[in-house]
Amino acid sequence: MKKEILFTLALAAAFPLSAQQKPVYLDENKPIEERVEDALGRMTVEEKIAVIHAQSKFSSPGVARLGIPELWTDDGPHGVRPEVLWDEWEQAGWTNDSCVAFPALTCLAATWNPEMSLLYGQSVGEEARYREKDVLLGPGVNIYRTPLNGRNFEYMGEDPYLSGRMVVPYIQGVQQNGVAVCVKHFALNNHEVNRHNTNVIVDDRALYEIYLPAFKAAVQEGKAWTIMSAYNLYENHHCGQNKRLLDDILKGEWGFDGAVVSDWGGVHNTEQAIAYGVDLEFGSWTDGLSGGLGNAYDNYFLAQPYLKLIKEGKVGTKELDDKVRRVLRLMFRTSMNTRKPFGTMRSPEHYAVARRIGEEGIVLLKNADNLLPISLGGTKKIVVVGENAVKMMTVGGGSSSLKVQREVSPLQGIRDRVGDKAEVVYVRGYVGDASGEYNGVVTGQNLKDDRTPEELIAEAVQEAEDADYVIFIGGLNKSAGQDCEDSDRASLGLPYGQDRVIEALAAANRNLIVVNISGNAVAMPWVEQVPAIVQDWYLGSEAGHSLASVLVGDVNPSGKLPFTFPVRLEDVPAHQLGEYTGERTQDTVNIKYNEGIFVGYRWADKQKKVKPLFPFGHGLSYTTFEYGQPTADAKAMTADGTLTVRVTVKNTGTREGQEVVQLYISDKKSYLPRPVKELKGFQKIKLAPGEEKEVTFTIRKDALSFFDADKHEWVAEPGKFEAIIAASAADIKGKVPFELQ
């Protein structure tokens, strides 16, 4: 009997709670708000403080006493970053943390295909889930204001509507896996130099019409679980502790119920961080010694300094409880969610997704005399020139740098596809950045070449002279000063003397194809000399296969530009009208967005004498499309009604192809200045040769509205409008006039 009693007591100690005694927060059948309140009520003040700041470079603590696990974040958004040391940026040395690299978000935006965005999110979410990550630090939706921004390649272009439509399915795809997205960088982070001390001065109309809509869509339509605050200042307050952005707009006007995560080191003051918005602090700099503490993370602004103020009675716990509620809500959606799928990593399906998105995002900019696609029949020699044909692009660029299982280079992709049908000769052409390392991830490539530019050009020309096709593959890279975090480009031009190489090749062989790899627009002084130009992007693991498929015509290009290519930097409104700083300073820098709402094509439309090199929405095909005359179901719409616009599109060529049909709205008269037109709809359709489809757009009041800053409301002013059907911002196919009554 004594042994039985002891055994019963042991069982009771091991399993102290009956089903009836089980805390509500452990019961996933209970509403999440009940679970949040139950867990909150069981936590000590010390435990509450602990869960709102980091414990390592990429994790924050749970509550071990209550069985609430840690939160683990990981950099995205193009793939799951390798593991780093607990308190260092360098590699942890794991051998099983390589990933599939998906194309950069500029490429995703260039697909103009929300289905690709959903597929992208599902795939990268599955990889994050497999790696047991709770928060994926991405996607980014900051607006393309200047082509010098080193981080544009991580974003979705210049138009708020396009960015908003593309970010929503990405979010939904990731979060289906029980992994939170962390949409960044909120807000107005539009260049990298002085990103910690730039104070953005922008009028409310531009704020609401240009820089906020994609974030709003992420919150209200995508239901993003976390938002990352930006480094810069707005209204003289850092965005990580900014009442206007985080409390008034994000949590107030938009009803955001998730957690605001600071960018790493984006919090600067305990009192302001308590009062304004930020819920989870990561990466703040401290030496861990100033307060006599052994753990540097305990010295964060929302750590011991916060607890000290509470214990001294200088602040209450109302703000603390709100922050903890939001973090708990995040935990119950991610780390505490036992019903999430297991995830997968480096699967054949993920490689196929990466390749397909790359193929759909590549943009054919120019194709004189139908030089492309390359015909392999009768072709004997193809010469490939340029460092970017062989340089790994998944390593570098800042926080989106990856450690991949494999990366197919453009040269390898071309050779794989051409096979023995023709000789593929590679010559260097130019030397850019021979290095290949970021935070301990090493490409292993030896790209050193000590020959002079003249020697490299001479070799390229000699090989090109008798070639059937010459493919120059250059552009930017992800080194500092190119497409890279914490640095901006020095100019719009191509680096490393590439213009000289291209001009020499154009003189040597008329069958020249220039492939530009970049996340930004570049100047093309040789544009008239080159018959075929392809805008490639950072395409990830399957980069070479995606490019080769398009070059030889296995895939018909269907990408459209998500931003405008200017001829000169002076044609960009941020540089002509606004302000931009290219020199580093320790002092706060005021940057005025004097161009207001006239960003990208909105500015280009106003210029009668200056045309862009390539307009927003531009992209050619190997087939041709014919648009019918658009029609509307009525000549007017009421403020609470809708208007349907229809247009037929026919494939008049000999190849199957996809076309992006774009809808712009023009307000013919307004009491405030408005753009000539604004994108308010798009559809990507696939057509076989000779096939015709009808595309329909439903126009609602919000598509006609502008933001009146004085009234602080959206206004749809009665009067005359036009629905414009286009193949790009500069290629208008038809117009339908109508009135708002």
Side-chain angles (χ1 to χ4, degrees):
M1 178 63 71
K2 186 175 180 180
K3 288 182 179 179
E4 290 176 357
I5 292 173
L6 289 173
F7 180 69
T8 301
L9 290 173
L11 280 176
F15 304 99
L17 299 177
S18 67
Q20 290 75 23
Q21 295 172 312
K22 186 178 181 180
V24 170
Y25 70 87
L26 291 177
D27 187 350
E28 287 190 281
N29 294 313
K30 295 289 185 180
I32 194 168
E33 296 309 315
E34 283 189 34
R35 301 177 69 202
V36 167
E37 292 304 319
D38 183 50
L40 183 69
R42 297 170 186 269
M43 294 171 66
T44 66
V45 173
E46 288 78 8
E47 288 167 341
K48 291 177 182 178
I49 290 291
V51 301
I52 64 170
H53 66 82
Q55 65 174 2
S56 74
K57 282 294 182 190
F58 284 99
S59 72
S60 62
V63 185
R65 181 179 65 87
L66 298 177
I68 298 175
E70 303 164 327
L71 272 173
W72 280 87
T73 71
D74 198 282
D75 269 318
H78 309 134
V80 186
R81 196 175 181 184
E83 303 297 331
V84 299
L85 297 172
W86 185 262
D87 193 29
E88 301 290 341
W89 294 109
E90 295 301 316
Q91 297 303 291
W94 291 22
T95 58
N96 62 346
D97 59 345
S98 58
C99 70
V100 173
F102 297 90
L105 292 188
T106 42
C107 175
L108 177 61
T111 70
W112 288 61
N113 190 344
E115 291 181 8
M116 289 297 99
S117 187
L118 178 63
L119 195 57
Y120 193 124
Q122 290 170 334
S123 303
V124 74
E126 287 170 356
E127 299 231 341
R129 174 66 193 96
Y130 183 86
R131 288 269 300 280
E132 298 186 345
K133 304 303 179 185
D134 302 306
V135 182
L136 185 71
L137 302 176
V141 292
N142 292 106
I143 292 296
Y144 187 110
R145 178 177 179 253
T146 165
L148 299 188
N149 181 12
R151 216 163 178 182
N152 277 335
F153 74 97
E154 291 187 53
Y155 303 144
M156 296 190 181
E158 71 185 30
D159 184 73
Y161 181 85
L162 175 62
S163 296
R165 297 280 54 79
M166 293 300 290
V167 76
V168 167
Y170 179 108
I171 293 167
Q172 294 168 337
V174 171
Q175 293 187 168
Q176 288 173 8
N177 293 281
V179 176
V181 297
C182 190
V183 184
K184 59 190 186 183
H185 304 87
F186 190 68
L188 300 165
N189 186 179
N190 305 112
H191 61 264
E192 287 296 288
V193 172
N194 298 318
R195 60 181 180 167
H196 294 276
N197 54 314
T198 289
N199 179 52
V200 174
I201 300 173
V202 61
D203 64 76
D204 266 12
R205 188 174 174 205
L207 180 70
Y208 275 81
E209 289 192 20
I210 303 297
Y211 297 101
L212 293 185
F215 287 104
K216 183 179 181 181
V219 169
Q220 295 191 333
E221 298 176 55
K223 307 297 181 184
W225 292 339
T226 70
I227 296 287
M228 182 184 290
S229 59
Y231 279 133
N232 52 282
L233 296 87
Y234 167 65
E235 294 187 340
N236 296 303
H237 294 283
H238 280 96
C239 293
Q241 46 198 47
N242 192 294
K243 180 180 185 300
R244 177 86 192 284
L245 288 177
L246 302 183
D247 291 337
D248 296 347
I249 297 175
L250 179 63
K251 296 180 179 179
E253 294 177 18
W254 300 348
F256 177 61
D257 72 350
V260 175
V261 178
S262 76
D263 204 343
W264 270 230
V267 176
H268 300 267
N269 177 279
T270 296
E271 287 80 2
Q272 290 186 29
I274 292 170
Y276 304 137
V278 67
D279 303 305
L280 191 51
E281 180 187 4
F282 273 92
S284 295
W285 185 88
T286 171
D287 60 9
L289 302 174
S290 57
L293 301 169
N295 182 356
Y297 296 96
D298 288 338
N299 257 346
Y300 274 21
F301 295 103
L302 290 181
Q304 291 293 341
Y306 192 177
L307 182 62
K308 183 172 182 289
L309 291 176
I310 292 174
K311 289 186 173 181
E312 291 174 351
K314 294 180 179 178
V315 298
T317 58
K318 178 182 177 182
E319 296 86 357
L320 175 62
D321 285 349
D322 180 68
K323 296 178 192 298
V324 176
R325 282 188 183 95
R326 292 173 180 275
V327 174
L328 287 171
R329 196 175 289 126
L330 173 61
M331 289 173 164
F332 292 142
R333 288 166 168 166
T334 58
S335 63
M336 289 281 281
N337 177 7
T338 62
R339 297 170 180 170
K340 57 193 172 187
F342 289 107
T344 56
M345 194 83 178
R346 301 183 297 273
S347 67
E349 292 79 7
H350 289 175
Y351 283 108
V353 167
R355 178 170 179 168
R356 184 179 172 190
I357 293 169
E359 291 169 346
E360 277 214 27
I362 291 171
V363 182
L364 179 60
L365 295 177
K366 182 181 177 182
N367 194 22
D369 301 322
N370 295 319
L371 179 59
L372 288 172
I374 292 172
S375 174
L376 293 179
T379 295
K380 297 180 179 180
K381 179 181 178 181
I382 298 172
V383 173
V384 178
V385 183
E387 180 176 282
N388 281 5
V390 296
K391 184 177 176 62
M392 282 187 68
M393 293 293 188
T394 54
V395 176
S399 60
S400 63
S401 179
L402 297 171
K403 174 183 173 183
V404 295
Q405 183 184 42
R406 70 170 189 255
E407 178 180 343
V408 179
S409 71
L411 177 62
Q412 186 60 51
I414 291 169
R415 282 179 167 161
D416 288 347
R417 178 60 184 85
V418 171
D420 59 2
K421 294 182 176 65
E423 179 188 14
V424 178
V425 176
Y426 173 71
V427 289
R428 185 65 175 269
Y430 72 93
V431 176
D433 185 353
S435 64
E437 179 178 355
Y438 191 85
N439 284 154
V441 176
V442 181
T443 66
Q445 292 184 300
N446 181 8
L447 297 179
K448 186 177 180 181
D449 195 319
D450 294 327
R451 287 177 293 172
T452 67
E454 289 72 23
E455 290 174 318
L456 293 168
I457 292 174
E459 178 193 41
V461 167
Q462 182 179 1
E463 289 290 351
E465 285 176 337
D466 65 344
D468 296 289
Y469 293 94
V470 179
I471 308 172
F472 176 85
I473 303 179
L476 308 181
N477 55 40
K478 293 166 76 176
S479 303
Q482 302 297 316
D483 283 324
C484 187
E485 181 181 1
D486 199 30
S487 65
D488 288 334
R489 299 168 63 195
S491 70
L492 187 65
L494 287 174
Y496 314 126
Q498 292 177 71
D499 289 339
R500 289 180 57 203
V501 185
I502 294 170
E503 289 166 354
L505 292 173
N509 193 311
R510 64 182 181 178
N511 290 338
L512 173 62
I513 302 154
V514 169
V515 176
N516 179 63
I517 297 177
S518 72
N520 263 307
V522 300
M524 298 182 180
W526 33 261
V527 65
E528 297 299 329
Q529 305 168 47
V530 176
I533 305 172
V534 175
Q535 176 58 33
D536 204 19
W537 314 95
Y538 303 115
L539 299 185
S541 291
E542 287 291 294
H545 289 153
S546 295
L547 177 61
S549 294
V550 169
L551 291 179
V552 303
D554 295 337
V555 171
N556 194 343
S558 63
K560 300 277 189 173
L561 289 178
F563 50 79
T564 304
F565 269 58
V567 175
R568 308 172 307 154
L569 190 62
E570 294 78 13
D571 297 339
V572 178
H575 297 271
Q576 186 177 136
L577 297 180
E579 295 179 345
Y580 164 79
T581 178
E583 297 182 4
R584 294 188 182 273
T585 175
Q586 298 299 316
D587 300 322
T588 300
V589 183
N590 290 319
I591 299 296
K592 297 178 181 178
Y593 287 20
N594 294 324
E595 69 276 13
I597 62 171
F598 294 99
V599 175
Y601 69 88
R602 289 167 170 81
W603 172 253
D605 280 349
K606 290 182 62 177
Q607 310 308 302
K608 296 181 179 179
K609 295 183 179 180
V610 179
K611 293 184 178 181
L613 183 66
F614 297 106
F616 172 80
H618 171 74
L620 304 177
S621 171
Y622 295 151
T623 191
T624 54
F625 300 99
E626 181 179 275
Y627 284 69
Q629 178 61 38
T631 61
D633 62 355
K635 293 182 179 180
M637 63 180 285
T638 60
D640 58 352
T642 61
L643 184 76
T644 300
V645 175
R646 294 179 171 85
V647 64
T648 57
V649 182
K650 183 178 182 179
N651 183 343
T652 55
T654 59
R655 292 174 177 264
E656 180 182 78
Q658 295 188 91
E659 173 71 331
V660 178
V661 184
Q662 301 164 39
L663 169 72
Y664 296 83
I665 296 294
S666 176
D667 188 349
K668 307 312 292 182
K669 185 178 180 181
S670 171
Y671 68 82
L672 289 180
R674 298 202 70 177
V676 173
K677 63 181 184 292
E678 296 180 283
L679 182 72
K680 294 298 179 182
F682 61 89
Q683 289 187 39
K684 193 166 195 176
I685 57 171
K686 180 180 287 187
L687 296 171
E691 185 180 6
E692 182 177 275
K693 285 184 180 179
E694 183 180 76
V695 178
T696 62
F697 295 100
T698 299
I699 300 172
R700 297 179 175 82
K701 177 183 174 182
D702 60 349
L704 314 180
S705 301
F706 58 89
F707 188 78
D708 188 320
D710 292 335
K711 297 178 180 178
H712 196 77
E713 64 182 25
W714 288 90
V715 175
E717 187 180 11
K720 295 181 179 181
F721 292 82
E722 278 183 341
I724 300 171
I725 299 298
S728 79
D731 188 3
I732 308 302
K733 299 299 186 180
K735 301 178 181 180
V736 181
F738 67 94
E739 290 189 26
L740 174 64
Q741 295 178 346

